[in-house]
Amino acid sequence: MTLAPAAAVMAQDAAEGNTAISDATGRGSVTGRVIDAGSNLGFRGAIVKVRELGIQANTGADGDFRLRDLPAGTYTLEVSYIGAETATQTVTVSAGQTVSVDVALSSAVGEFEEIMVVGQKARALNALNLKRSAAVVSDSITSDSMGQFPDQNVSEAARRIAGVSVVNDQGEGRFVTIRGADPNLNAVSIGGIRMPSAETDARQVSLDVVASELLSGITVKKTITPDMDGDAVGGTVEVKTFNAFDRADTFVSATVEGSYNDLMNKLSPKAALSASKRFKVGEENELGIAVAGNYFDRKFGSDNAENGEGWDTAEFGGQEFYIPIEVSQRPYRISRERVGLVGNIDYRIASHSEVYLHTIYSRFSDTEGRSATDFEFDDPEFTSLSATSALANNGTYELGKSTKDRTETQSVMSLNLGAKHMTDAWTVDYQAAYSKSKDNYSNLESAWEGDFDDDLSVGYQLSDKNPKVMQIIASDMDAIADMDAYELDEFGLESSDYAQRQWTFAGNFQYDFTAGDVPAFIKFGAKSTRNKKTADETNTVYDDFDEDYTLAHDNLSTTLDYSLANVGPFANIPGIRSFFDANNGSFGINDEDTYIDSNAADFEIRENVTAGYVMGQADFDPLLIVAGVRVEHTKFSADGHLLSVNEDDETLEISPVSASKSYTDYFPSLNLKYSAGEAVIIRAAASRTIARPNYNDVAPIYESAIEEGELEGSFGNPDLDPYSSKNLDLSFEYYPGDLTMISFAAFYKDIKNFIVTADLGGVPGQYEDFNVAITKINGESATLKGFEVSLQQQFSFLPAPFDGMLANVNYTYADGKAHLDLGDRDMPLPNQSKHIFNASLGYEKDRLGFRFAVAYKGKYLAEILDPEDPAFDNYVDAHISYDFTADYEITDNVKLAFKIQNINGRPFHSYFANKRFPGQYEDYGWTGSFGITAKY
């Protein structure tokens, strides 16, 4: 232990056993930092305790701490941090004064600077100390730890945390799932500000928009306190951006990397730069400036075969067989560009105040080309039918080619201005923030309809090599490969703009005091959030052409490297784009479809949430109690439309519609933390949370159509109530020393007002005249229960060179069930995997390091196409992937790294009710990268 010079005399007194509480009157404070003597870096998550009073504080990002409302006297500070020896230091507190001390730790496991400041061990220790010191059940991962895995974005980095998995899109992690709860049920914040969703129809936040290089860490909180937002049924994901006070006085890091995808056989560039500087302003004040940026232009793709509409039944030869409703074979070729910027300014005024401006901008842009061969039965007359294949005569099937040439750009921007002030007893903080997310989409679609001889039979079969893949077959394969057989049927030019704008104003007040011998505080505050979500689509449908165009025209077809089947050439996307640009002036526009498609999904939703809370914390040492209640009032209003189409008398009507609703929710919560000595922590928590409905579900968009006397419709439901959940948590954590940790946590959620899709056609009342009426309804109940186990172990007790190994394993079991009154059946919770497993084995010795990781996510229910028929439930199959990272330090400042993701080339696979009935199969291959990082 190293003591700050100002405390040297007091330390000598302590060593001689002279420490005692003074009888002086009045109160004072102690502030300081827990640091590494060699680098002056602070250690976040250390516990600083006043031995004689039982009062304690946890250190912040810079290792800073503040102990307030101490009676005047002489005390012993006891500082504990996993991986370091417990340090003690004596301080004398005078009435009305603030004493400033720094405590420098020494390692319990070897050379401190190597163990605690850099490397895998340092990152693991940081995460362990944050978990141990937290008042709630939580887990964290630091930015440096993210670099130890080949993760592309924030979602993929978060899946290394116990109980966390991700929902993938195009083979890349997109949405975070906590303990098996749907991503729409989570709260996500960046820098303390709720992140608006860039999705067109949901609340789930696509964290693949944000690159991991812009961050300093991620914390997943699985229980809540009243000063947190109440709409967090699944949990809360807190993303912290890069900050100058996270680093030493001056810090610069630059990375250049090349990424290779074996399916595309192309190299993609990647670069990241971050820098920070801390400036002394006078004797006591300090200014910190941090900037970070990244760029990644990733070239990748996938080979896809799918049936997105489920399976039907058909009879042949006196037997009943299942047949797919659609079969499509699709090669995707994608360029994904990700650009991000962070700029943070922090100004600390002595040890009592700070002012900050935190900003982030991140943009994610996909340019995607998708060709397809599409097949669908049309009242088929089968020539053959079995459990694995079917053929039908001409005129009883539809076979065509199609393309999508789309660009989608999602972006998120946040500006957060705030301040914090501390006196001896009070802490006051406040902030004003503006956030905006956008989704801009443009797409040129084309459809080409096949025209074949009457004697040609076409159908499907399951691949002999891979029964998860559906292949299109024909009695004459050369005939369906003839591009002159595919005539132009339709062009669609689509564009959409979705945006969410959010203003946030918040203030918090905390009063620290001592009740007898019990240190405590009371905290209260208010928050106002103003949201506006808008959707605007503009689509033009062309289906009247001056001549019969076919794909045999020059440059309209091409041969693609598609590994799942051989169906001949595909439509050529660049050639079709050029053809459309040159000829669209002569194409006829379908006015009715254009009008409907340009107005059907437009809406504006305004959602204002006003919240207030009061909470208290009391430290009875060894029992810490945090309790209180939060109140949130939600005011919702929206504008949409009523669209009515009558195909029988060829009329179309549209009229504006508005809707509004308001409701108030109460969120009591209790968190208990019992510290049984230095090594054991037991936690228990009870709370209530909600999750507001998705935007599209409550948008007042009402559509109905009459065709051949049949009345069908789809309807938004602004009257939906939010999900409501009562939550119980219990956890046990054991820290025997070094880098070892064992933890167990059990959880239970009782969820009401579960929202599902329902067909209310014919139900007495509003929908009794409808043959089909699709809408969203409340009224269902669900439960989610399970447990998670984590183990972290350093193998320093082994002989060299094996003493450099570090293992981390976590497993989560989640059993979620929901009851559907419609259909009277039980089902799993959507997006909930029963089994989640993550493990990594790392090695670090001298300048060499590597880490091998495995991530497993069990099967889950992705979509319910028909609430009354489980045969149309779409499941995503279990997925396991292996990743590897190796790095070598050329010098103390320069490191080479090699990473490979999805080594086993695991594809995506979905199915309907039973694995015999494939839904989608998508192959991505593996991705590798090689780069160099320099840090100063």
Side-chain angles (χ1 to χ4, degrees):
M1 179 191 69
T2 303
L3 300 180
V9 175
M10 290 176 273
Q12 183 177 354
D13 291 339
E16 295 171 357
N18 298 328
T19 304
I21 298 177
S22 168
D23 61 356
T25 59
R27 295 178 178 271
S29 301
V30 177
T31 65
R33 296 176 66 221
V34 177
I35 61 172
D36 163 41
S39 65
N40 200 39
L41 285 175
F43 291 95
R44 184 183 180 191
I47 298 175
V48 183
K49 184 175 182 179
V50 181
R51 181 184 291 173
E52 292 79 6
L53 301 177
I55 297 174
Q56 68 180 39
N58 302 330
T59 58
D62 192 31
D64 55 299
F65 66 90
R66 186 179 183 94
L67 296 159
R68 294 180 294 177
D69 196 38
L70 302 179
T74 301
Y75 303 100
T76 303
L77 299 184
E78 188 175 87
V79 181
S80 63
Y81 188 90
I82 299 172
E85 294 179 348
T86 299
T88 58
Q89 184 158 326
T90 304
V91 296
T92 297
V93 178
S94 301
Q97 301 294 316
T98 297
V99 181
S100 180
V101 297
D102 287 346
V103 182
L105 300 176
S106 58
S107 174
V109 291
E111 179 61 33
F112 189 83
E113 191 169 14
E114 293 181 2
I115 300 297
M116 303 293 289
V117 180
V118 298
Q120 296 181 37
K121 297 176 183 177
R123 296 152 194 148
L125 285 168
N126 194 344
L128 285 188
N129 281 283
L130 289 176
K131 179 179 180 68
R132 183 186 66 143
S133 62
V136 299
V137 179
S138 68
D139 290 278
S140 301
I141 186 170
T142 66
S143 60
D144 288 335
S145 293
M146 297 176 203
Q148 290 295 306
F149 299 98
D151 301 322
Q152 307 288 350
N153 57 62
V154 175
S155 293
E156 293 190 348
R159 68 176 168 162
R160 311 297 177 180
I161 293 173
V164 175
S165 61
V166 297
V167 178
N168 287 337
D169 176 59
Q170 287 290 353
E172 188 173 329
R174 191 168 178 83
F175 306 108
V176 169
T177 295
I178 303 173
R179 289 175 166 175
D182 189 295
N184 286 296
L185 309 185
N186 297 332
V188 179
S189 66
I190 294 184
I193 296 298
R194 283 294 292 270
M195 186 176 178
S197 173
E199 296 301 296
T200 58
D201 59 355
R203 291 184 183 271
Q204 58 188 1
V205 175
S206 50
L207 285 173
D208 57 346
V209 175
V210 182
S212 56
E213 290 86 0
L214 303 180
L215 309 180
S216 66
I218 305 168
T219 297
V220 174
K221 294 184 176 179
K222 300 163 186 176
T223 63
I224 70 167
T225 52
D227 54 351
M228 299 166 58
D229 291 331
D231 55 335
V233 169
T236 300
V237 181
E238 295 184 351
V239 180
K240 188 175 184 297
T241 56
F242 178 58
N243 185 292
F245 292 110
D246 295 337
R247 302 290 183 178
D249 291 344
T250 302
F251 175 80
V252 178
S253 175
T255 299
V256 178
E257 190 175 287
S259 176
Y260 173 83
N261 176 255
D262 78 314
L263 193 67
M264 290 293 291
N265 196 26
K266 289 186 177 180
L267 192 66
S268 304
K270 182 178 182 180
L273 175 67
S274 56
S276 64
K277 176 68 176 176
R278 295 163 62 164
F279 303 90
K280 281 290 186 180
V281 181
E283 293 185 2
E284 296 185 313
N285 305 337
E286 193 171 12
L287 175 67
I289 299 176
V291 293
N294 79 291
Y295 175 80
F296 188 18
D297 186 9
R298 185 182 177 210
K299 305 290 194 302
F300 67 106
S302 63
D303 286 344
N304 166 291
E306 70 177 71
N307 162 29
E309 299 297 326
W311 289 65
D312 209 342
T313 58
E315 288 190 5
F316 184 76
Q319 297 186 59
E320 186 175 75
F321 297 94
Y322 283 93
I323 59 170
I325 296 174
E326 292 181 353
V327 177
S328 185
Q329 297 181 323
R330 307 174 176 182
Y332 288 83
R333 303 297 178 254
I334 304 169
S335 176
R336 178 166 292 175
E337 183 183 71
R338 186 179 284 113
V339 177
L341 294 170
V342 163
N344 290 340
I345 301 174
D346 294 80
Y347 183 57
R348 293 185 172 179
I349 305 170
S351 60
H352 54 76
S353 294
E354 61 182 67
V355 180
Y356 59 84
L357 174 63
H358 293 170
T359 68
I360 182 172
Y361 172 80
S362 192
R363 189 192 72 207
F364 163 104
S365 182
D366 261 3
T367 301
E368 177 184 283
R370 190 223 72 188
S371 294
T373 301
D374 305 304
F375 170 80
E376 182 177 357
F377 287 117
D378 182 16
D379 193 19
E381 295 179 7
F382 293 104
T383 59
S384 69
L385 182 58
S386 72
T388 59
S389 66
L391 280 172
N393 285 325
N394 182 52
T396 64
Y397 60 82
E398 296 176 4
L399 180 64
K401 304 283 184 178
S402 64
T403 63
K404 279 190 174 183
D405 182 8
R406 75 169 184 91
T407 299
E408 182 176 17
T409 301
Q410 290 190 345
S411 63
V412 60
M413 180 270 290
S414 177
L415 304 173
N416 183 9
L417 178 65
K420 181 178 182 180
H421 307 288
M422 292 178 287
T423 65
D424 284 342
W426 284 94
T427 299
V428 179
D429 66 86
Y430 45 89
Q431 60 184 185
Y434 173 72
S435 302
K436 181 178 181 180
S437 63
K438 295 177 63 177
D439 183 294
N440 302 115
Y441 178 91
S442 64
N443 180 38
L444 176 64
E445 286 191 342
S446 73
W448 306 75
E449 192 174 88
D451 183 17
F452 303 97
D453 294 335
D454 292 340
D455 60 351
L456 181 68
S457 294
V458 181
Y460 88 98
Q461 73 175 14
L462 298 182
S463 168
D464 293 335
K465 183 184 299 184
N466 186 348
K468 298 174 183 178
V469 177
M470 291 177 293
Q471 298 179 336
I472 297 171
I473 58 174
S475 57
D476 183 353
M477 291 297 291
D478 290 336
I480 70 171
D482 180 7
M483 292 295 100
D484 198 41
Y486 299 93
E487 295 182 356
L488 179 58
D489 180 56
E490 184 176 281
F491 268 111
L493 187 61
E494 306 173 343
S495 67
S496 64
D497 292 289
Y498 286 76
Q500 183 174 349
R501 296 168 177 84
Q502 176 179 281
W503 284 96
T504 303
F505 304 93
N508 303 282
F509 303 84
Q510 179 176 316
Y511 177 71
D512 291 82
F513 62 96
T514 302
D517 295 331
V518 178
F521 69 70
I522 293 177
K523 186 178 182 181
F524 57 92
K527 183 177 182 180
S528 175
T529 304
R530 299 291 183 260
N531 270 298
K532 183 166 74 171
K533 182 87 172 183
T534 58
D536 181 19
E537 295 197 356
T538 303
N539 302 322
T540 305
V541 179
Y542 302 86
D543 63 1
D544 184 13
F545 309 106
D546 56 2
E547 60 179 275
D548 294 332
Y549 299 104
T550 74
L551 285 174
H553 278 65
D554 291 344
N555 207 33
L556 293 186
S557 63
T558 186
T559 300
L560 295 176
D561 184 14
Y562 177 72
S563 62
L564 301 183
N566 179 21
V567 291
F570 287 89
N572 182 29
I573 293 173
I576 286 176
R577 169 68 74 170
S578 298
F579 170 76
F580 175 81
D581 291 341
N583 295 280
N584 70 79
S586 64
F587 298 161
I589 297 176
N590 185 317
D591 293 327
E592 180 178 303
D593 288 350
T594 295
Y595 185 78
I596 293 173
D597 291 351
S598 296
N599 293 277
D602 294 355
F603 63 78
E604 179 175 299
I605 294 176
R606 297 164 295 278
E607 184 181 80
N608 300 332
V609 180
T610 304
Y613 73 90
V614 60
M615 61 181 286
Q617 175 176 300
D619 191 350
F620 292 93
D621 192 24
L623 178 64
L624 180 73
I625 301 176
V626 183
V629 64
R630 183 181 185 88
V631 181
E632 291 186 359
H633 177 73
T634 305
K635 185 177 181 181
F636 163 87
S637 63
D639 297 323
H641 61 264
L642 172 63
L643 176 66
S644 178
V645 180
N646 191 324
E647 298 288 354
D648 294 345
D649 60 16
E650 298 182 350
T651 61
L652 184 152
E653 296 180 5
I654 188 168
S655 56
V657 177
S658 296
S660 62
K661 183 178 181 177
S662 62
Y663 50 90
T664 301
D665 289 285
Y666 297 86
F667 307 104
S669 65
L670 171 67
N671 282 269
L672 305 176
K673 178 182 177 182
Y674 183 81
S675 301
E678 291 284 331
V680 176
I681 294 177
I682 301 171
R683 304 176 191 268
S687 65
R688 179 181 180 269
T689 52
I690 65 167
R692 298 181 177 90
N694 286 333
Y695 296 108
N696 255 25
D697 295 347
V698 294
I701 299 175
Y702 312 124
E703 302 176 30
S704 64
I706 299 176
E707 185 172 4
E708 298 181 357
E710 297 282 319
L711 178 59
E712 299 183 356
S714 63
F715 307 90
N717 186 358
D719 292 325
L720 284 173
D721 292 323
Y723 294 71
S724 176
S725 178
K726 295 177 182 177
N727 316 295
L728 296 174
D729 292 84
L730 179 66
S731 71
F732 171 88
E733 301 162 18
Y734 178 51
Y735 303 91
D738 202 349
L739 266 172
T740 302
M741 184 272 295
I742 301 171
S743 71
F744 173 86
F747 55 89
Y748 177 82
K749 298 179 184 293
D750 182 13
I751 304 171
K752 305 296 183 185
N753 298 328
F754 192 78
I755 297 172
V756 294
T757 303
D759 180 1
L760 301 183
V763 175
Q766 181 180 356
Y767 304 110
E768 61 183 325
D769 294 331
F770 283 81
N771 299 92
V772 176
I774 305 298
T775 187
K776 298 286 186 177
I777 61 171
N778 282 121
E780 315 297 343
S781 61
T783 59
L784 178 61
K785 58 186 177 181
F787 63 87
E788 58 189 33
V789 181
S790 298
L791 169 65
Q792 182 168 293
Q793 176 68 61
Q794 181 186 357
F795 296 91
S796 56
F797 54 86
L798 295 178
F802 304 106
D803 56 342
M805 292 195 301
L806 176 67
N808 198 324
V809 180
N810 61 72
Y811 166 77
T812 301
Y813 173 84
D815 183 19
K817 288 186 173 64
H819 180 76
L820 291 182
D821 292 337
L822 190 67
D824 190 24
R825 65 184 178 100
D826 293 325
M827 67 172 197
L829 285 176
N831 288 314
Q832 177 255 313
S833 295
K834 185 166 286 190
H835 305 283
I836 301 169
F837 175 77
N838 288 285
S840 65
L841 178 63
Y843 179 84
E844 194 168 57
K845 195 74 172 177
D846 299 323
R847 296 186 178 275
L848 175 66
F850 68 77
R851 181 169 289 191
F852 178 79
V854 56
Y856 174 85
K857 181 178 181 179
K859 73 172 186 178
Y860 62 89
L861 175 64
E863 188 176 13
I864 304 170
L865 297 182
D866 185 346
E868 297 184 83
D869 191 350
F872 289 87
D873 289 353
N874 182 235
Y875 286 84
V876 172
D877 201 0
H879 187 276
I880 187 169
S881 63
Y882 303 100
D883 306 320
F884 178 77
T885 302
D887 56 69
Y888 180 77
E889 292 183 2
I890 301 174
T891 69
D892 291 342
N893 304 107
V894 181
K895 180 170 66 176
L896 296 176
F898 169 76
K899 305 175 184 179
I900 184 167
Q901 188 177 34
N902 197 26
I903 297 172
N904 53 328
R906 184 77 175 199
F908 174 92
H909 172 229
S910 71
Y911 56 90
F912 288 93
N914 188 298
K915 289 186 179 181
R916 289 180 51 219
F917 309 122
Q920 181 177 342
Y921 183 91
E922 198 159 60
D923 185 20
Y924 312 107
W926 55 266
T927 298
S929 65
F930 181 81
I932 183 170
T933 298
K935 293 185 178 182
Y936 299 93

